[in-house]
Amino acid sequence: MRFLDTLQLARQDFFKLKKHREAPAWAMWLMTLLVSLAWGTGFLLLGWLLGGARFLDAGWTRVVPPFYVTSLIIGGVVHMLYTGIERWAPQRFIDWTNGEPTAGVSAFFAATSITGVLFGLYLAREVMGGLPGWERVDWNPQRSWISFGSVGVLVSVIWGMWAWQEWSERQLRLQAKEAELKLLQAQIEPHYLFNTLANVRSLIDCEPAAAGELLDTFTDHLRASLTIMRADSIPLAQELDMVGHYLKLMQLRMCERLSFRIEADEAARQVQVPPLLLQPLVENAVHHGLECSVDAGEIVVRATVQQGRLRISVEDDGVGLDAPRPARKGNGVATKNIRDRLSARWGDAAHFQLQPRQPRGVIATLDLPTSPT
């Protein structure tokens, strides 16, 4: 990622609390440096406005550097304070601070920022003994406290209007994204159901004696899928259960030619994912991998959480990506739909990859954020 792109990513996240950030720590510290320098310039202007010409009697070289050093100390203190809150506060509290900018949210940020500024000023005074020129500022109530109060109210009002507008725009973007996701999900549902029904039909024709067991399995599979496929998000555990029902159904059809394993740790099972996210990948593994092979094969579904990200893989030891396949209507629809759904929900933060598996077969990998969007 280029330097400017990384800095832009840090700027987007700078005024929000997050447990896991896409931007690296150095980029967040660089943003703190730039903001601190901007505040240092503001402090200098405020001192000049309150103190007039006397404020600079000691000269620019003696007045300006201590103000910028003080701003950097304050910036570092505030940065570490918010970093500590991100690390130790529960996720529910983090979500509350990033939600609707209510009076409580505004009070939290105001109190935390003031605490950081006061502690930073104390440290700066201990380090430098004071700010040159500041003793020349007229601290009478009319020129000082009223000025500080007016500036504080003005900044609070401007921040509140900006935060409210950003929150409203974010809500509109989320509504548009949800509509797009529902449309993409609606496209995959009939594709999935028709494939399943076609498999049931072929099994009944070939082995009528197994029809009872087949219909029971299909009923369990359909019950599990229909209750969750219209939800916005479901725990990965439910998606894995639905995939397991489907693979049991395929086992009845393919007998000893198909075996499968589902391996997922408990942390991965709790992550919220869009419904029918794995189903198309498992269908592809069956139809394009194992059905085209004369040998018996295995499908392995794995899910783990590593460094705040959910990694899911669907592996098969079928014919592979480069094997010739009969032309079928709808080839490529499933993978394109998955890419579109990931992009709509997570943007560039989610990744989908198809690659050859050694010595044969295909690995489909999903790499997703574990935090909600």
Side-chain angles (χ1 to χ4, degrees), residues 36 66-80 116 119-125 127-128:
S36 299
F67 269 83
Y68 282 116
V69 171
T70 299
S71 298
L72 292 176
I73 293 175
I74 292 174
V77 170
V78 173
H79 183 108
M80 289 187 289
F119 189 66
L121 284 172
Y122 171 77
L123 288 180
R125 182 178 179 182
V127 171
M128 297 184 296

Side-chain angles (χ1 to χ4, degrees), residues 116-193:
V117 170
L118 292 178
F119 189 66
L121 284 172
Y122 171 77
L123 288 180
R125 182 178 179 182
E126 291 296 313
V127 171
M128 297 184 296
L131 293 175
W134 201 253
E135 69 278 359
R136 299 179 178 86
V137 174
D138 185 2
W139 287 100
N140 68 72
Q142 289 185 348
R143 295 198 59 194
S144 300
W145 301 115
I146 294 178
S147 298
F148 273 118
S150 300
V151 170
V153 170
L154 179 61
V155 170
S156 298
V157 170
I158 293 175
W159 180 88
M161 294 174 62
W162 170 82
W164 184 266
Q165 180 180 1
E166 185 185 57
W167 180 79
S168 300
E169 291 178 353
R170 187 165 68 247
Q171 293 302 111
L172 290 175
R173 289 195 298 269
L174 286 174
Q175 292 175 6
K177 183 184 292 186
E178 288 175 1
E180 182 180 358
L181 285 171
K182 288 184 181 297
L183 177 61
L184 291 169
Q185 191 166 308
Q187 293 174 359
I188 204 70
E189 287 171 12
H191 177 270
Y192 147 70
L193 289 175

Side-chain angles (χ1 to χ4, degrees), residues 1-15 21-35 79:
M1 185 180 293
R2 295 183 300 175
F3 173 78
L4 292 180
D5 294 336
T6 305
L7 197 61
Q8 174 68 13
L9 187 62
R11 187 197 66 80
Q12 294 173 355
D13 283 349
F14 188 72
F15 294 103
R21 295 182 179 274
E22 297 296 327
W26 67 262
M28 301 304 298
W29 274 107
L30 182 57
M31 281 299 304
T32 297
L33 172 65
L34 296 176
V35 172
H79 183 108

Side-chain angles (χ1 to χ4, degrees), residues 93 96-112 159:
F93 181 81
W96 174 74
T97 63
N98 292 324
E100 182 178 357
T102 60
V105 174
S106 301
F108 160 74
F109 280 108
T112 306
W159 180 88

